[in-house]
Amino acid sequence: MSIWGRFLSLFSKDMAMDLGTANTLVYVKGEGIVVNEPSVVVIDRNTEEPKAVGHEAKHMFGMTPDDLIAVRPMKDGVIADFFVTQKMITYFLKKAAKAKTLRSPKLIVCIPSGITQVEKKAVKESAINAGARKVYLIEEPMAAAVGAGLPVESSVSMVVDIGGGTTEAAVISLSATAFQKSLRIAGDEMDEAIMNHMRYEHKLVIGPYQAEEIKIKIGSAAPLQEKMTFVARGKDLVKGVPKAIEVNDDEVRYALEIPIKAIVEVVDEALSGTSAELAAELTKTGVMITGGGSLLRGLDKRIADETRIKIHRAQNPLESVVMGSGKVLEDFKLLKKICIT
Ligand code: ADP
Ligand code: MG
């Protein structure tokens, strides 16, 4: 490193960022996770400047006046709105650095394993424009595996990351992805399935965050021991007036069936796509599921029953990707081995 580079690094911090469709997390070297907020930005339509980012913006979703618009700039695991994504990254990195002038010399950004070269370039450019000097990319399933403490350098593991926009199944062997399968169906589609169900079965229009709340409070992928209910609130489809309907877990499970089937199928396909040798190893180690979507009640059991393989849920599914990238940031040899520049 040049003298100037060394001088700058005294005033800047290495960071790792999990730029998710639902949540963005930032890890600062030597400090840990310092940012964990929804990937939502409220934009002023007139000036095109962000009015709110993260938690504050999520609270405003669906309730903004006409001149403001709440957007989720990441869709299906990739940048759908380049301009807004850049604003969001800049905001979170500055927040993580705790000062306006600090720059990040080294930044690791997690990307879905299925993204194209063009999409990778867009992520890197956004990070550079946001103040990073050197950007490394790491595939999310690899980061999640490292984060969960799986032995990525020495043995075989399979990780299924169920996020907001994508489900990614990857088999990792000797520090590389041996096989991967990704699907643009995950938590968001579950919310949409609940919204559609309420609309057609109960003539009740609900917003995406109410749907998400129903999923988190009473949603499931396999029958539950105890009955659960939730009062859904929205407006009547025909009359447009406020309306509330009580729903139970059976009904919500039925509504979630299509996205859940698709997720189970992608795990099955990833398993069938691996070589006999790797598959043999996986029957011993099992498969780890992670990402916020893996928290759905009974999803582990459902996948295990249908694929006949052991399923473990990561300890902190919402944090495993950023914790893994943080570990890589602290270990330069590992970074050189598994990151893409
Ligand atoms: P991303 O990496 O795409 O940002 P995350 O891993 O942060 O996604 O997961 C976000 C998804 O997880 C959202 O769809 C959210 O609704 C879902 N989620 C969070 N907690 C739960 C829960 N307890 N049960 C079911 N889904 C959950
Ligand atoms: Mg993720």
Side-chain angles (χ1 to χ4, degrees):
M1 199 191 281
S2 67
I3 293 180
W4 176 237
R6 234 174 268 171
F7 175 73
L8 274 180
S9 67
L10 285 175
F11 296 95
S12 48
K13 297 169 176 178
D14 289 345
M15 299 186 197
M17 178 166 61
D18 171 8
L19 187 60
T21 45
N23 300 295
T24 299
L25 292 86
V26 182
Y27 178 104
V28 172
K29 193 171 179 180
E31 291 181 30
I33 299 174
V34 296
V35 170
N36 181 356
E37 300 203 37
S39 310
V40 183
V41 184
V42 170
I43 298 280
D44 185 326
R45 282 187 208 267
N46 304 315
T47 62
E48 295 196 346
E49 282 304 310
K51 280 276 169 198
V53 186
H55 291 301
E56 199 191 335
K58 183 165 177 174
H59 287 307
M60 290 165 78
F61 208 97
M63 291 197 265
T64 48
D66 282 353
D67 55 343
L68 297 182
I69 173 173
V71 286
R72 284 180 58 186
M74 308 286 299
K75 205 175 178 310
D76 297 331
V78 298
I79 298 179
D81 187 326
F82 193 74
F83 176 77
V84 179
T85 301
Q86 206 156 295
K87 296 263 174 200
M88 186 175 81
I89 296 181
T90 310
Y91 174 88
F92 286 136
L93 290 181
K94 276 190 178 152
K95 190 165 185 179
K98 297 193 188 86
K100 279 206 168 68
T101 49
L102 289 185
R103 291 167 64 89
S104 160
K106 205 191 292 160
L107 177 71
I108 300 183
V109 186
C110 306
I111 48 160
S113 47
I115 78 173
T116 63
Q117 286 302 332
V118 175
E119 289 168 337
K120 273 183 201 161
K121 205 163 157 252
V123 172
K124 285 186 81 163
E125 268 172 28
S126 272
I128 299 246
N129 290 339
R133 278 192 289 132
K134 177 95 184 138
V135 182
Y136 297 87
L137 303 179
I138 181 170
E139 293 182 342
E140 276 161 2
M142 178 69 85
V146 173
L150 299 182
V152 294
E153 290 178 274
S154 58
S155 91
V156 180
S157 29
M158 177 163 158
V159 175
V160 181
D161 181 354
I162 308 158
T166 52
T167 295
E168 303 216 27
V171 177
I172 293 160
S173 169
L174 308 174
S175 311
T177 304
F179 187 81
Q180 71 89 22
K181 199 89 205 160
S182 60
L183 172 73
R184 297 195 168 188
I185 292 181
D188 291 343
E189 272 67 22
M190 296 184 199
D191 303 346
E192 242 162 64
I194 294 175
M195 281 167 77
N196 288 336
H197 176 87
M198 299 308 287
R199 194 181 181 95
Y200 295 115
E201 292 298 316
H202 299 293
K203 304 275 176 287
L204 178 70
V205 181
I206 58 170
Y209 289 121
Q210 170 86 142
E212 182 183 33
E213 198 181 350
I214 297 174
K215 170 185 74 179
I216 292 176
K217 295 266 168 68
I218 68 166
S220 59
L224 304 177
Q225 305 246 312
E226 271 177 55
K227 288 278 134 238
M228 290 175 133
T229 58
F230 185 90
V231 179
R233 295 174 197 278
K235 66 177 197 169
D236 188 277
L237 178 63
V238 187
K239 298 189 195 119
V241 292
K243 175 167 144 176
I245 293 273
E246 189 182 87
V247 286
N248 65 31
D249 62 287
D250 283 337
E251 189 178 342
V252 175
R253 190 165 50 253
Y254 171 76
L256 292 175
E257 192 50 29
I258 293 175
I260 286 170
K261 256 212 174 93
I263 292 168
V264 174
E265 257 165 41
V266 86
V267 180
D268 217 17
E269 282 169 25
L271 283 168
S272 357
T274 56
S275 67
E277 288 79 7
L278 293 181
E281 282 301 307
L282 291 176
T283 60
K284 288 188 249 163
T285 57
V287 170
M288 184 187 80
I289 59 171
T290 185
S294 72
L295 289 165
L296 186 75
R297 285 174 199 78
L299 188 56
D300 47 353
K301 180 178 178 334
R302 174 78 183 266
I303 302 174
D305 287 350
E306 295 198 16
T307 59
R308 308 208 163 273
I309 195 137
K310 267 184 289 184
I311 302 288
H312 322 276
R313 184 189 287 128
Q315 238 171 19
N316 293 305
L318 290 157
E319 293 174 3
S320 43
V321 166
V322 83
M323 287 310 288
S325 341
K327 268 193 207 171
V328 174
L329 190 65
E330 312 264 0
D331 181 345
F332 198 65
K333 247 168 72 191
L334 189 61
L335 183 147
K336 283 278 174 212
K337 217 171 196 176
I338 65 179
C339 283
I340 315 159
T341 52

